[in-house]
Amino acid sequence: MDTLFRLVSLQSSDQQSSFNSSRTSSSSRSSKANHQLFHHPFQNQQELDKYREECGNNYHLCVDEDFSSSSSSKHLQPHLSTPPTAATTTTASTTHVLFELADFSFPPDLNIDFASPSSSSSAAGGGGGRWAAQLLLECARAVAARDSQRVQQLMWMLNELASPYGDTEQKVASYFLQALFARLTSAGPRTLRTLAAASDRTCSFDSTRRTALRFQELSPWSSFGHVAANGAILESFLDAAAGGGGSPQPQRLHILDLSNTFCTQWPTLLEALATRSADDTPHLSITTVVSSASPSAAVQRVMREIGQRMEKFARLMGVPFKFNVIHHAGDLSELDLDRLDLREGGSALLAVNCVNALHSVSPAGSRRDLFIAALRRLQPLIVTVVEEEADLQPASAGDGGGEEGEEGFLKVFRESLRFFSAYFDSLEESFPRTSNERLALERAAGRAVVDLVACPAAESAERRETAAGWSLRMRAAGFAPAAFSEDVADDVRALLRRYREGWSMRSAEEADDPGGAAPGIFLAWKDQPVVWASAWKP
Amino acid sequence: MSNSTSISEEASVSSEMRAHDFSKSLSSLFTPITPPHHQQQQQEPQPKSKKKRSQPGNPDPDAEVIALSPKTLMATNRFVCEICNKGFQRDQNLQLHRRGHNLPWKLRQRSSKDGARKRVYVCPEPTCVHHHPSRALGDLTGIKKHYSRKHGEKKWRCDRCSKIYAVHSDWKAHVKTCGTREYRCDCGALFSRKDSFITHRAFCDALAEENARLIAANTDASAAATMIPTTINPPLLHHPLYHSSSSSYSLPNPNPNPSPYQLKPEGPSRSLLHPYYLHHLQTTTTSSSSSPHLSATALLQGASTMDPITTSSAAGAAGGGQRGCSMSDAGDPSAWPRSDNLTRDFLGAVAGETGEEELLSLTGALGLDLVTAASRDRRDHSKRFAGFPPVTETWGDR
């Protein structure tokens, strides 16, 4: 069940088995597997025994009180204070462990977390509080401080509680734990490759389509950016076409699509173009660039199928249409934009659509700035930028992507935790209880987390920046923000109305910075901005 | 009428001008949104356009052209009762109201007999198409609404979607239908949201290649045809083509109620039917909506409703270019009581025999009675076509 850890299994000790009996099924499965986890850090059997002795007994006592609340016959213990103190008297050798626990007031934290009974989770210890965030942060700090013992304890505890099939807290714990483990074992890139290969095996047009469409149906996370971008592109194109007096000749629009949403943005744009007027529908060309570090055959097949469907659909709508797919291996900044014939010999107006694309450019050096400058050189009519709002830039500004120090790591970790907790939370509330699509999305997020936590920033394609950060870059490259019109804003608001509660839209303009630190609009989940959409003109 | 006296000083167009002087100089590609009440005056040559219905604002050449000021057009309640200060848009209404106060009232008769010419109105906005007398609108209410719609401020907004309207009655009409319309894809999926329907449709398995190709070929002829009235069906049923090709297959108990859709027969006889089909279109487009918006959406739905019948046939037919259907019938899909699986399986199993195809397509359209009746025959057919790749696989996209 717990596929995260595939190491050699240890034999369970008696203590552990008695431990297991008091647990519910989900965590008992994971507890069998968790022993596998700790095979690696232990140097020898001696240490293992000592560890078991230290942790097993005491944790047995402490944890038993709290974690088996749902299944054990024992009453739910509101406070953890008595067991540790009782345990301290058992053996002298165990005291220092508990002192450590008591030092950073571990138990009281746990009290708060687990005391509140969980309403939805059946797993032991799945609390109403934000235990995952706290434990993970503690663990990250321990990793940064290279405190192996604490790391082991915390990871062990997390492993007990985490599960990719549980509630939001458990899921977050599970994926971040996987990433931390990869970092500890310096297996970040390898883990990432394994996970990517695993997902590639099951990747098909059907599964991709199902996931993407279901996601858009249940959550405005991606459709927010799509609606805003389509509105901006269409309006700017119509203004330019009308203003330029191009009514005798049919207008041509070329869109350079840099996105990871598999062209699900374009059908609505095609429909809008078609319904505007049946007589002089402009010609639309879309050049989609799919860039990945390792191009996979599955993605190529998927894109080919997508292309066919788009062409059929455009024919159905009566829109003259041309579709190109570019599979680019490597960083997006290496793409030679001039070779793509984006202006079609000068007759087409160019719009650039970047949905989650800018953050895939490596933050190393000035690649991002160079890439944006390259976009500027294309002299597009409009550039729409949709990004996820998270400050995951490496802390060291000078290097811009070298090996990050402890502080940098902690900052990225904290921010990733915040962002992905919101993401997982929104997925949990939007999708039904059991959903393969959501699982696929969560796994993809898990891969991103591994990338962020365990892989060097220079090769990372997940280093998102805040709206303010991107705005600075865009301005520096020579773009000026283009505000969304009221119509587009209305469309977005209407879009949000179609989804469940919890989503809101807000303008990115800061009240205290009238110059507009970040133009555009935010999609907020429970008042936390998560997605940013903006439009820029040269 | 007091109307004309008050505006005569503002009238800038003398009655010397004739509307038809301008008609030749204007291209007529302007498509208004939904002005159903604009009267169609007789006009000489039909403007060349894809729409079969003539553009609004082609007035009687002898009509008197009147230009009103924006203020006049936007004004409401110009006629005020002196007793209670109630405002009325028309003098007639005021007079009737005055009766209630026992005031002397007089209803003016419309003096259409004594040489008073028909009045047509032009839009005061210079950039507007209707600014030219040759494109004047024939109705005062019409020009007022037009002015508000095109050049006025949109004050009424729909809650559900984000559409805004300048004219209150437009808004009311929209709110009635907004959100109540459901979108059904071929594959059977039902959507309440248009955008998710569109996105689904674009990637749906049921999107047929041949269908689209034929649509493109027929776009010139069929762009305007969206709704086909039900009365067309009986003639189609008795089309001699069916009789000639239905030699081996007896049509069981044709459903007396014609289906809402006009079914275009397909198969190798397509070329034969083409002129018939086109002719049909030309005679049946009177009721089609002029809105490109509707026609495009109807394209989506029309294809969807037609597909179940034609997809299987085309899948079976050699060469694949056998689609006879077009976008022309977009009836209300939800009104069609069909069982997708049954229809599809049935028709898919019989692919390859074009003669029967047409009839089977027809039976599919005529309602479930036939389908169930034909399904009895399906078992026989399916045996013969056991080797045929299951068509349902390609487009069952549940």
Side-chain angles (χ1 to χ4, degrees), chain B residues 54-104:
Chain B
S54 61
Q55 308 281 342
N58 294 303
D60 180 4
D62 290 329
E64 175 185 359
V65 185
I66 298 182
L68 304 169
S69 77
K71 199 157 64 78
T72 320
L73 287 178
M74 298 281 289
T76 58
N77 306 340
R78 305 191 69 233
F79 304 95
V80 185
C81 171
E82 58 219 20
I83 309 283
C84 56
N85 278 333
K86 192 165 150 81
F88 295 92
Q89 303 225 19
R90 291 191 180 141
D91 182 53
Q92 320 279 56
N93 301 346
L94 174 61
Q95 297 302 321
L96 291 173
H97 167 82
R98 280 164 63 103
R99 286 195 306 191
H101 292 305
N102 296 323
L103 285 172

Side-chain angles (χ1 to χ4, degrees), chain A residues 19 56-66 80 83 86-87 90:
Chain A
F19 207 123
N57 284 332
N58 306 318
Y59 278 112
H60 174 69
L61 285 173
C62 324
V63 172
D64 219 6
E65 296 294 329
D66 292 18
L80 188 52
T90 51

Side-chain angles (χ1 to χ4, degrees), chain B residues 305-322:
Chain B
T305 57
M306 283 308 301
D307 272 354
I309 308 301
T310 58
T311 308
S312 52
S313 327
Q322 306 291 330

Side-chain angles (χ1 to χ4, degrees), chain A residues 123-134:
Chain A
R130 311 271 295 160
W131 56 265
Q134 294 187 5

Side-chain angles (χ1 to χ4, degrees), chain B residues 264-306:
Chain B
K264 299 292 178 298
E266 55 224 82
S269 45
R270 173 158 70 99
S271 54
L272 201 72
L273 288 169
H274 219 65
Y276 179 77
Y277 162 71
L278 285 175
H279 166 71
H280 253 305
L281 282 173
Q282 279 153 19
T283 55
T284 58
T285 52
T286 49
S287 62
S288 64
S289 102
S290 62
S291 145
H293 164 81
L294 190 54
S295 64
T297 314
L299 285 184
L300 282 177
Q301 297 237 274
S304 75
T305 57
M306 283 308 301

Side-chain angles (χ1 to χ4, degrees), chain A residues 7 19 173 206 229 232 279 316 357:
Chain A
L7 304 174
F19 207 123
D206 203 47
D279 292 340
L316 189 74

